[in-house]
Amino acid sequence: MEKKHLKLCVNYFIIAILSVVLYSCSTQKDKFLNRSYHKITSKFNGYFNGKESLKEAISKLEKTYQEDYNNLLPTTILGDQKQAQKIYPQLNRTIDKASLVIERHSMEIRGKEKNKWVDDSYFLIGKALFYKQEYSEAIEMFSFINREYEGYITDLSILWSARSQIQLGNFTTAEEQILYLEREVRLKKADYALFLEITANYHIKQKNWGKVITYLSKAIKYSGDKKKKVRLTYIIGQIHYQLEDYKSAYNAFDKVVRMNPEYEFLFNALLSRARAFDPKYNDSSKLITEINKMLKDDKNNDYKDQIYFALAEIALKEEEKEQAIDHLLNATANNTGNDQQQSIAHLTLAEIYFNDAEYLSAQVHYDTAITFLSENHPDFDALSKK
């Protein structure tokens, strides 16, 4: 009898729990229990899993991306369309999870959304579309958020819309959004760092290099991400070098070295610092010692051509022509398939010999350089004639 009574109590308890759960599942009742159920389920189920999948996608993209240190680095790794397609499974999962939150847990009652994770889910979809490089669709999503919702999420939607507009080359719209954010919106620290980076990207497209340096320098101050600080500092060095402000370039690359970055950045910062060396401001002895250490390190065997070329650049700046020629010949001898570096080394040798009126030697190196140089290179015809 006692067992029967206990079993009956358990059944009643289960029915009561199920009744509460079913009652709280309703998205049409504006009660504390309903709101709590849908908010908690949204946050710790669909939204959380979607956000983690987006992180996974970005991490995968960053790990597989091959940096091109011979050109201006991107402030954020996005890759090309082919690389973006490799992270479609993770990005589609983000979109699916966020869509389920919207579909199952939206509580729009009397024209007002009661579940704060719904607009966040729309925003998550927008970011996933951005990383899929479906920029027009991303802009539509951010515009929808801006129309339908209120609060800080609308400011973020404008920020990411501007980011997408820049990728599409819609600079007038991007500029309007950037100006609005700068004048009217108070962003949180991390978001403000992103705003500064996005604004720098706008000016990169316009080739306003002074403004790029200003905004990147501010972004470094506000960013809490060490890798981002390293990347942006390196880019500042690249811009100074491009502008032939070698003193500032040297200081920027030196700063990267002192930030103790991952090896690939460290290696390229050391080389770039050597190339920015100016005998008027810097002592070469320490640089040469560091570069010679790099030569002896087995993990740099595939990069000896670049290391020897950096030594040659130092020698040329110090007017040590014979030493420079030795380093350049070593650069060509130690090339392991880097056609661009091979071409640059032979061109440098050719120029040295040409300026010394040693035309036969110059011709040999011009000829070799042309075999490695792309026909699309702006100096291809002039070098061929030379």
Side-chain angles (χ1 to χ4, degrees), residues 65 67 72-78 201 231-232 235:
Y65 182 78
E67 301 278 11
L72 194 67
L73 296 184
T75 60
T76 295
I77 292 170
L78 297 176
N201 271 305
R231 174 175 290 276
L232 299 187
I235 293 169

Side-chain angles (χ1 to χ4, degrees), residues 24 29-39:
S24 61
K29 290 184 171 63
D30 188 14
K31 303 291 183 182
F32 173 77
L33 195 62
N34 300 73
R35 292 195 303 271
S36 298
Y37 170 80
H38 287 289
K39 284 178 183 177

